[in-house]
Amino acid sequence: METFSWPVLAIFMGTVGIFGILVGKWWQQKRAYRLLATLPSPPKHWLFGNMLQLSAAVNKQQFSQFLFDWAQKLGPIYILWANIPLVIVSKSHVIETILTKEIKEGTVMRSRLMSLGMNDMTGPVIIGQTGTEWKWRRKGWNPQFNSSGITNYANIINQACQHTIKKIQETPEIQTDFVFVELTMRIISCLLFGIPINPNEDSLEGPNLNIEELYKAQSVLSYRVLRIVSGEPVWMKYLPILRTSREYWAARKTIEDFLYPRVDLALKMRDEKRTDLEGASPLFQKSMLVKIAANTPEYTRATLMSEAFLFLLGGTDSTAHSLAFTIGELTLHPEIFQKAREEVDRVWQSQQGITTESLGKLTYLRAIFKETLRLYTIGSGSGYVEVQREFTIDKQTFPPGVQIFWSILSAGRDPDIYPHPDRFLPERWLDENGKEKVSVPTLVFGSGLHRCLGEHLALLEATIMLALLLRYFDWELINGRASLEQWQQTMFIFPADRMPIRFKAREGVLLS
Ligand code: HEM
């Protein structure tokens, strides 16, 4: 008689057990998510669903592009089967309703993974908060970023743009995305921390602005949010054998060394109830950091530092990349370039330059920027949600547990809202008198409670910078159309080749 083998039996039982668990999980998923079964989906692996494609897209830094490409193929709603199913939506009214009505009614909530990622860059930040924790932060920052508050900074912005013009004059062939990163970082650092725009002037309150180093640190921290959203556990940052963990801590140190001296000084001013402390320049005394510290007692040393970082990040990448895409698009449309230049020249001649009064007249320029944001939505999937209670919208029912993502990039190409969606048509944002239309829906600055705080600042920066570029230069794309078609992202989308441009001084116009 054959002997009975325990190890063989254990292996057999183990295999049956694992198989049972997988089948059980599959069955559970099938039942729970049967309402989604009819949605189209990219081809999937029998065991891993779409997880491998998703993580490959994140690793290649092309997550938004991946969602966008599938939306183009599968339509305005499709599903990705990951650990938790992700439904990707790209109809503006559906996204808008979810971000406003459904969030308010509690049928959905902002994604906990996204909040975790945001709050784990350097510490808790407004965009990762909800309820009262979000409310007091937003109340503190709102007055600083409203339209009239921001217009006060037009001179500072103009000064920074003039530096950019000088830089381009000295280096006419240049990767413009980096040039605009420098521009926007200088502006937001001046507004937030009172760091002089002029790179030759020292900052008294802390280390000078080292754009390259800070931008590298920002990119490491913001890309990590994307990885956390796609499933990387936050505790992995404690594994020193991982390159990504070492980069994370180095990036945090760079940011903290830059911010803490300034945060400490702002808090000292708050404690002593005076701004004229030794070591504080007049620019710092008037900075947003000092104001927010004074007006928002809820901020502690650590939370004020992490918030300052978020505003530095939000104020840099977003507008910089959008500007790079804008000047790229302008090269492809000489008639739009010419029309924009005529508007700038007209305003310039009547006001002897770009002034606060003349800015309101540059409506075509603003329309060009908005049209670029529609086609190159740098924050395409921000603010996605988890379903809490079953709800139905546009005849689709969403069961609890599902995550709803969006592709604002695809929503921006919805032919029902934007006729000829693939054409670059700034006119769609203007009425017949050339005035800005308010009726065209757009989600590029988000919607609902977390709608962008920096919208007015971004539009002001873009308008002044574009006006000066059109006034002083002609330009062409060094890599042609490819610069506009190949994107990458950390948190925000940017042109993969950083949009190299060859500038040429405009004939007959002298640089002042
Ligand atoms: C073209 C430029 C910009 C675009 C396209 C953009 C886009 C967005 C979007 C889509 C959101 C919503 C995110 C969500 O719902 O999770 C957002 C939020 C935010 N943006 Fe912007 N942004 C831009 C410029 C700026 C600038 C210049 C700042 C200045 C600091 C800024 C600061 C913020 C902040 C602080 C939030 C979070 C608001 C909150 O959570 O209540 N943004 N932005």
Side-chain angles (χ1 to χ4, degrees):
M1 193 176 137
E2 274 183 43
T3 49
F4 186 75
S5 165
W6 284 106
V8 171
L9 182 67
I11 290 170
F12 175 73
M13 294 299 284
T15 313
V16 170
I18 291 171
F19 186 70
I21 290 170
L22 287 175
V23 170
K25 216 177 142 196
W26 172 80
W27 181 244
Q28 223 180 6
Q29 266 217 352
K30 205 170 159 65
R31 265 171 56 99
Y33 302 129
R34 67 189 183 288
L35 297 167
L36 306 172
T38 52
L39 289 180
S41 149
K44 54 182 185 292
H45 188 273
W46 68 274
L47 183 59
F48 299 114
N50 300 109
M51 257 159 39
L52 301 178
Q53 292 143 290
L54 265 173
S55 59
V58 171
N59 288 338
K60 281 199 267 170
Q61 299 192 312
Q62 287 179 339
F63 181 64
S64 298
Q65 170 111 50
F66 173 79
L67 299 189
F68 172 71
D69 289 346
W70 279 110
Q72 299 301 295
K73 287 180 198 139
L74 300 176
I77 178 160
Y78 67 94
I79 188 161
L80 290 170
W81 294 99
N83 246 350
I84 299 169
L86 312 177
V87 178
I88 319 297
V89 177
S90 36
K91 274 279 173 206
S92 294
H93 71 277
V94 178
I95 302 172
E96 178 80 41
T97 310
I98 294 175
L99 277 173
T100 50
K101 176 176 162 284
E102 303 300 343
I103 284 210
K104 203 164 165 204
E105 290 176 0
T107 39
V108 300
M109 65 182 278
R110 277 169 75 84
S111 148
R112 277 168 290 198
L113 266 187
M114 193 196 68
S115 298
L116 191 69
M118 293 286 189
N119 292 332
D120 204 57
M121 286 191 288
T122 52
V125 285
I126 183 168
I127 202 163
Q129 304 297 315
T130 51
T132 46
E133 279 298 312
W134 168 81
K135 214 170 187 172
W136 63 255
R137 286 173 163 85
R138 185 83 190 200
K139 200 168 149 224
W141 288 99
N142 265 340
Q144 315 224 34
F145 279 93
N146 65 25
S147 139
S148 59
I150 286 300
T151 315
N152 295 330
Y153 298 116
N155 281 341
I156 290 177
I157 296 172
N158 197 16
Q159 200 190 336
C161 292
Q162 298 284 359
H163 271 281
T164 305
I165 294 292
K166 223 164 141 200
K167 182 162 188 150
I168 292 176
Q169 201 188 11
E170 287 159 9
T171 327
E173 282 190 23
I174 199 159
Q175 284 176 301
T176 47
D177 191 51
F178 286 131
V179 174
F180 296 136
V181 162
E182 175 168 352
L183 167 79
T184 50
M185 198 186 277
R186 282 205 189 287
I187 295 173
I188 195 72
S189 304
C190 182
L191 270 48
L192 282 175
F193 314 121
I195 297 179
I197 291 288
N198 184 345
N200 300 321
E201 271 181 56
D202 284 333
S203 166
L204 299 182
E205 300 80 15
N208 281 337
L209 200 58
N210 182 335
I211 308 250
E212 209 174 305
E213 189 186 52
L214 283 174
Y215 183 62
K216 196 171 149 215
Q218 275 189 4
S219 303
V220 167
L221 296 172
S222 63
Y223 176 45
R224 185 163 166 275
V225 177
L226 196 65
R227 296 205 317 270
I228 288 175
V229 164
S230 69
E232 178 176 311
V234 282
W235 52 257
M236 271 175 58
K237 69 181 178 201
Y238 296 114
L239 299 180
I241 49 160
L242 296 178
R243 179 183 49 81
T244 49
S245 311
R246 294 193 299 274
E247 282 174 358
Y248 168 79
W249 290 110
R252 261 189 83 151
K253 182 166 180 334
T254 302
I255 296 294
E256 289 176 7
D257 288 350
F258 176 69
L259 291 177
Y260 267 133
R262 297 178 163 92
V263 166
D264 288 341
L265 193 55
L267 291 177
K268 195 164 172 220
M269 289 174 170
R270 168 166 98 186
D271 293 345
E272 297 188 13
K273 296 195 172 43
R274 48 188 276 250
T275 53
D276 57 339
L277 292 185
E278 199 184 328
S281 64
L283 214 48
F284 182 76
Q285 291 172 23
K286 283 189 283 178
S287 68
M288 288 181 170
L289 186 72
V290 170
K291 286 186 198 150
I292 201 81
N295 300 341
T296 318
E298 291 90 339
Y299 274 121
T300 62
R301 180 175 190 259
T303 56
L304 189 56
M305 186 283 294
S306 50
E307 203 74 284
F309 168 66
L310 178 82
F311 278 79
L312 182 67
L313 170 71
T316 302
D317 273 89
S318 52
T319 319
H321 305 324
S322 308
L323 264 168
F325 283 120
T326 311
I327 63 163
E329 271 295 331
L330 280 174
T331 60
L332 300 181
H333 302 282
E335 70 298 345
I336 296 174
F337 185 103
Q338 192 48 35
K339 195 168 164 188
R341 176 171 272 174
E342 281 163 17
E343 178 180 76
V344 172
D345 285 348
R346 232 181 2 259
V347 167
W348 197 285
Q349 269 139 28
S350 71
Q351 307 278 333
Q352 302 306 310
I354 297 298
T355 61
T356 317
E357 293 75 56
S358 63
L359 280 166
K361 300 200 169 94
L362 295 169
T363 48
Y364 192 61
L365 229 51
R366 286 163 71 94
I368 287 174
F369 191 61
K370 285 186 184 171
E371 182 67 345
T372 308
L373 290 174
R374 177 182 75 81
L375 288 171
Y376 306 92
T377 313
I378 47 102
S380 175
S382 42
Y384 74 98
V385 295
E386 290 169 22
V387 180
Q388 303 299 297
R389 293 198 309 271
E390 187 174 298
F391 77 104
T392 302
I393 188 166
D394 243 21
K395 297 191 190 137
Q396 176 62 50
T397 300
F398 294 92
V402 169
Q403 310 227 23
I404 308 181
F405 262 69
W406 7 96
S407 173
I408 311 279
L409 271 164
S410 312
R413 292 165 202 240
D414 181 349
D416 293 342
I417 301 181
Y418 310 104
H420 311 293
D422 292 326
R423 285 178 57 195
F424 190 77
L425 290 176
E427 284 76 9
R428 69 175 92 240
W429 302 96
L430 301 172
D431 66 18
E432 58 281 7
N433 301 316
K435 295 233 156 56
E436 285 176 57
K437 268 196 214 163
V438 278
S439 54
V440 188
T442 174
L443 287 166
V444 296
F445 287 106
S447 185
L449 295 179
H450 289 268
R451 194 189 153 89
C452 182
L453 261 164
E455 177 177 353
H456 300 296
L457 174 60
L459 284 168
L460 189 60
E461 289 174 303
T463 312
I464 299 179
M465 189 68 258
L466 290 171
L468 293 180
L469 287 171
L470 284 158
R471 177 75 187 164
Y472 291 128
F473 298 106
D474 288 306
W475 62 86
E476 60 186 8
L477 281 165
I478 293 176
N479 293 343
R481 193 176 278 275
S483 296
L484 285 140
E485 288 172 351
Q486 285 157 22
W487 314 328
Q488 263 190 296
Q489 74 182 119
T490 45
M491 185 185 287
F492 301 112
I493 293 168
F494 56 86
D497 65 358
R498 302 287 181 169
M499 197 68 71
I501 296 262
R502 190 174 296 117
F503 288 92
K504 212 169 91 200
R506 183 181 170 193
E507 269 178 35
V509 176
L510 284 182
L511 271 163
S512 47

